[in-house]
Amino acid sequence: MKLTLPTRIPVLTTLLLLAGCGSHTDLPDFTASGYLADRGAVRIWRKDSQKQISHMMTIFTPFNGDQTETTDYQWLDGKLVAIARHIAGSQPDDVTLRFDQGGAVSFMQRQLASHREPLSTDEVALYQFEAQRMVKISDDLLSGRVTLTQGVWSAGGMIKTCQGNDVRPYFDMLEREHIDQQQKISTTPLNIAWLETPGDTQLLLVTPENLCKNEPKDADF
């Protein structure tokens, strides 16, 4: 079960509009960021190699429903070579695409619950466009120093991050009340994902699911 966040004007909007003016080349090669979409939360992990993107994973978690969407993108020498999308939930849907160095499709498959089917040319083009769009969003987020952290919430506002650190991020009154309310009705500890910028903190996701279980690690990514 995913839990809807309280209504809040996105404080990151202005930052993202200006982020293109900055640069993220001085950040570590492995980064995590994210943003609030209309229907859910998007988390992004990215690995760069020699100043070029080489690997990116995105997870879209809807605020309502169980159709979590995980997409894995891979590049070689700056060219997109693979896309793998997995939608979990009541209607599973897996898509696998591979491209040669010239950008032509070398393998494609869509696996539904009951059968497999090929993808149309338009569907392939849409997946390629989405990859470019997500890279642009990731660039803007990282240029604005928007970083993602996840962990387990405990009483008093302390969070044990997926890296094992104890931190106490600042959440505003509405966000804190929302977390407290959800903890009262949850039978398991809550997992929290939040965004930080140089001047702000924003709650991204509150869920009883173990977020650290699927968080990639630098050495394995």
Side-chain angles (χ1 to χ4, degrees):
M1 178 181 66
K2 284 81 182 180
L3 307 174
T4 305
L5 297 180
T7 301
R8 178 185 177 190
I9 298 173
V11 295
L12 303 177
T13 301
T14 302
L15 174 61
L16 294 183
L17 289 173
L18 299 174
C21 300
S23 171
H24 66 268
T25 56
D26 58 335
L27 291 175
D29 287 342
F30 179 70
T31 54
S33 58
Y35 64 96
L36 284 174
D38 292 338
R39 297 177 294 106
V42 179
R43 289 166 289 154
I44 305 169
W45 290 269
R46 170 173 173 165
K47 186 73 170 282
D48 286 8
S49 177
Q50 297 180 346
K51 308 305 180 182
Q52 286 187 324
I53 187 168
S54 62
H55 193 181
M56 182 168 66
M57 184 176 80
T58 68
I59 300 180
F60 170 73
T61 305
F63 293 140
N64 297 293
D66 62 349
Q67 297 295 105
T68 298
E69 180 177 319
T70 303
T71 309
D72 194 90
Y73 303 94
Q74 294 188 39
W75 288 261
L76 181 63
D77 297 328
K79 295 181 180 180
L80 182 66
V81 294
I83 301 173
R85 188 200 66 181
H86 172 67
I87 297 180
S90 57
Q91 295 180 318
D93 186 348
D94 290 339
V95 168
T96 303
L97 283 164
R98 300 192 189 102
F99 307 93
D100 61 26
Q101 281 298 90
V105 177
S106 60
F107 178 84
M108 65 176 176
Q109 176 179 285
R110 184 178 187 187
Q111 176 68 60
L112 300 171
S114 59
H115 67 282
R116 296 177 181 177
E117 63 182 39
L119 292 144
S120 69
T121 301
D122 287 345
E123 286 174 324
V124 172
L126 183 60
Y127 278 103
Q128 291 172 309
F129 172 81
E130 181 67 9
Q132 294 174 345
R133 188 180 76 89
M134 291 308 301
V135 171
K136 178 61 168 63
I137 290 174
S138 173
D139 283 343
D140 288 347
L141 289 166
L142 295 178
S143 293
R145 299 300 192 270
V146 181
T147 59
L148 169 74
T149 309
Q150 302 185 132
V152 180
W153 176 266
S154 61
M158 189 70 73
I159 295 178
K160 176 76 74 175
T161 70
C162 297
Q163 292 72 40
N165 301 318
D166 292 319
V167 298
R168 193 188 300 273
Y170 169 80
F171 296 121
D172 67 24
M173 183 177 64
L174 288 177
E175 292 172 330
R176 181 60 185 265
E177 287 178 353
H178 174 70
I179 295 171
D180 290 340
Q181 289 170 0
Q182 299 303 332
Q183 185 65 84
K184 289 177 182 178
I185 62 176
S186 177
T187 58
T188 61
L190 288 180
N191 280 244
I192 307 292
W194 72 97
L195 304 173
E196 292 184 352
T197 72
D200 190 55
T201 302
Q202 184 176 30
L203 184 63
L204 184 66
L205 185 64
V206 181
T207 176
E209 295 184 12
N210 184 354
L211 296 179
C212 296
K213 180 180 178 180
N214 295 320
E215 177 174 301
K217 295 179 175 58
D218 186 1
D220 304 324
F221 196 62

